Amino acid sequence: MNVRPIKLLDTRFKDFHSGMVHWDYEDFVGDAHRDWKKDWISFDSLLADDERSTIWCGLTSFAGDIFYAYDRKKGKFRGMDFQKVGDRYDAKFHRALLFGADGEIWAATSLLHDIDRYWDAPGGAIVRFDPRTDKTEIVARPMPHLYIQGLTIDRERGILYGVTLTPERAFRYDIATGKVTDLGPTGSGFRMAQGATLAVDRTGACWGTWGLTRAWLSTPAPDEIRLWRYHPDRGRIEYLKHGLPRLHGAVGTALADEVHTGPDGAVYMGTGEGLLCRIDPESYEVKAIAKPGPARRLAALANGSDGKLYGTAGNDGAVIFFSYDPRDGKVVDHGIVADPQNNERAWHIHNLAICRDGTIYAGENDNPYRSSYLYEITGVFDAPKGAAR
């Protein structure tokens, strides 16, 4: 496996533990810490565009400069000037960048501000981008004052699904009509219940996780995080009674980190403990597959053209890249996501995009010591015949 960091920005930060963790939102967006405001970025969403040899990048930025295109042939980034379209509180595309049925790109904005700005901030935007004309437009702010952490699409039915923060609610957006349907709450407020995004399985059902309240207790107990499912034919969210397993048979349910539709149309979830799980769309049965690496957090999954599922697991500079083949159950550890020339390690990988030629791009996020990078990974699997860069 070959790993190469691609740097949009490369500012180093020294005051994370001594100062930044005690700052409020105002400290970041003001003029006192302009390097943090402009240069502390994360690559939270990635989308591979083989037709244009481009990786569309959704960033986190206190400055609101959150949409970039990486030209693979030229090896250069191009800013899409989203801050000219968005509101000042539109601070990231957090796992919300995907193709629509007609080749358009859909995105959604999430937040960095606190609840004291609730009434000032209008709410997360659903964004439509035309890659043929570079036109960016905000088509809706579906949930007033609530921001959108994850977005997925049912292309066949023309439906976008999103999950919000703060508070946590699920919604449906019908593309043809612009109709918004509030599907209901997904979090109790005791802790964050959602994974990074949502996923639509092969039956057309959308999946996520929800959190118990158990208001008669001071804490909801170890099984508080459970699965929810919504199918448009049913028209109502189903709050299921079971969740993801803990490691080593521990009591309770695990918090989801990643939610993804695999190459077999089933839903795969990675847990905060680093366990890969599969949810059967018909039976709702959850199966623990493997813990690919020793570290916690399994936060990024993507489908390869070879029929395998690829992912990352790990945090704090120890991220491994792995593959899983649903056909034979084989899990392979391909190594650490790090540049061997200077031992620059990815702090945490939040999203993956796989190109037709087999090149993989990994989005780093939340690095407390420097600007996060886009990582290019090659040599993992052979591209199909005829696939060109």
Side-chain angles (χ1 to χ4, degrees):
M1 184 174 76
N2 305 307
V3 179
R4 180 174 71 95
I6 304 170
K7 305 173 184 179
L8 171 61
L9 296 169
D10 195 21
T11 299
R12 304 280 165 157
F13 304 101
K14 298 180 181 179
D15 50 0
F16 177 80
H17 295 290
S18 62
M20 176 264 199
V21 292
H22 302 291
W23 297 346
D24 289 333
Y25 172 74
E26 293 81 4
D27 296 309
F28 286 98
V29 298
D31 293 330
H33 307 286
R34 293 186 62 83
D35 53 345
W36 283 94
K37 177 180 178 180
K38 295 178 64 65
D39 295 352
W40 190 68
I41 60 169
S42 293
F43 285 84
D44 276 350
S45 294
L46 301 177
L47 183 64
D49 186 341
D50 290 303
E51 181 180 342
R52 298 166 186 85
S53 192
T54 295
I55 303 298
W56 300 103
C57 304
L59 272 58
T60 290
S61 167
F62 280 97
D65 189 13
I66 60 175
F67 192 25
Y68 276 78
Y70 175 69
D71 189 314
R72 298 183 63 209
K73 292 181 178 179
K74 296 179 180 179
K76 294 182 179 180
F77 286 99
R78 176 168 61 101
M80 307 309 296
D81 295 324
F82 179 79
Q83 64 272 33
K84 295 181 179 179
V85 179
D87 182 82
R88 60 176 294 194
Y89 292 107
D90 293 324
K92 46 182 154 173
F93 287 165
H94 186 272
R95 293 304 303 273
L97 201 56
L98 39 89
F99 276 115
D102 298 323
E104 79 281 15
I105 293 174
W106 294 95
T109 61
S110 192
L111 82 171
L112 286 172
H113 62 274
D114 291 304
I115 59 172
D116 60 342
R117 302 294 184 101
Y118 180 85
W119 294 114
D120 297 325
I126 291 181
V127 180
R128 186 184 189 278
F129 174 73
D130 189 339
R132 295 157 290 205
T133 63
D134 279 0
K135 181 182 178 182
T136 304
E137 59 180 328
I138 292 175
V139 300
R141 292 191 182 269
M143 303 288 281
H145 310 295
L146 308 186
Y147 281 74
I148 303 166
Q149 282 283 98
L151 192 73
T152 193
I153 190 169
D154 181 340
R155 293 185 185 87
E156 181 180 346
R157 295 172 178 82
I159 301 171
L160 293 170
Y161 294 102
V163 62
T164 68
L165 188 78
T166 304
E168 297 179 88
R169 298 188 75 86
F171 70 88
R172 163 182 173 171
Y173 176 82
D174 288 79
I175 294 173
T177 64
K179 180 183 177 182
V180 176
T181 305
D182 182 349
L183 301 181
T186 58
S188 66
F190 279 80
R191 69 180 294 192
M192 191 171 178
Q194 65 187 263
T197 188
L198 306 173
V200 175
D201 69 22
R202 62 182 176 233
T203 73
C206 182
W207 290 82
T209 52
W210 68 283
L212 292 175
T213 302
R214 283 205 172 107
W216 59 92
L217 299 174
S218 58
T219 57
D223 62 342
E224 63 180 303
I225 305 300
R226 300 180 178 184
L227 300 171
W228 65 260
R229 175 186 184 273
Y230 171 85
H231 197 289
D233 291 347
R234 177 181 171 89
R236 182 170 177 171
I237 195 169
E238 300 172 74
Y239 297 97
L240 304 181
K241 296 294 187 182
H242 63 287
L244 304 175
R246 298 280 311 279
L247 285 176
H248 312 302
V251 174
T253 54
L255 183 68
D257 207 343
E258 167 68 314
V259 182
H260 175 77
T261 306
D264 55 353
V267 172
Y268 289 82
M269 293 190 183
T271 74
E273 295 178 328
L275 185 67
L276 178 64
C277 302
R278 180 186 185 274
I279 302 169
D280 185 270
E282 284 80 23
S283 69
Y284 311 168
E285 179 186 4
V286 179
K287 177 184 178 182
I289 296 171
K291 181 174 169 61
R296 65 186 183 90
R297 297 202 65 180
L298 197 159
L301 294 170
N303 300 336
S305 57
D306 56 354
K308 295 180 182 179
L309 183 67
Y310 290 88
T312 60
N315 201 33
D316 299 349
V319 181
I320 68 150
F321 189 84
F322 71 91
S323 62
Y324 166 71
D325 193 332
R327 295 161 295 196
D328 60 16
K330 187 176 182 181
V331 177
V332 177
D333 179 351
H334 294 279
I336 296 288
V337 182
D339 177 11
Q341 293 185 351
N342 58 21
N343 199 31
E344 188 74 74
R345 294 188 171 203
W347 180 258
H348 179 250
I349 296 300
H350 197 256
N351 199 198
L352 296 173
I354 302 181
C355 300
R356 190 165 49 210
D357 66 0
T359 305
I360 300 161
Y361 289 87
E364 181 185 32
N365 80 328
D366 294 347
N367 193 315
Y369 303 111
R370 59 163 169 77
S371 311
S372 292
Y373 300 154
L374 177 67
Y375 283 86
E376 183 183 77
I377 301 172
T378 55
V380 175
F381 70 91
D382 294 329
K385 291 183 179 180
R389 178 166 180 161

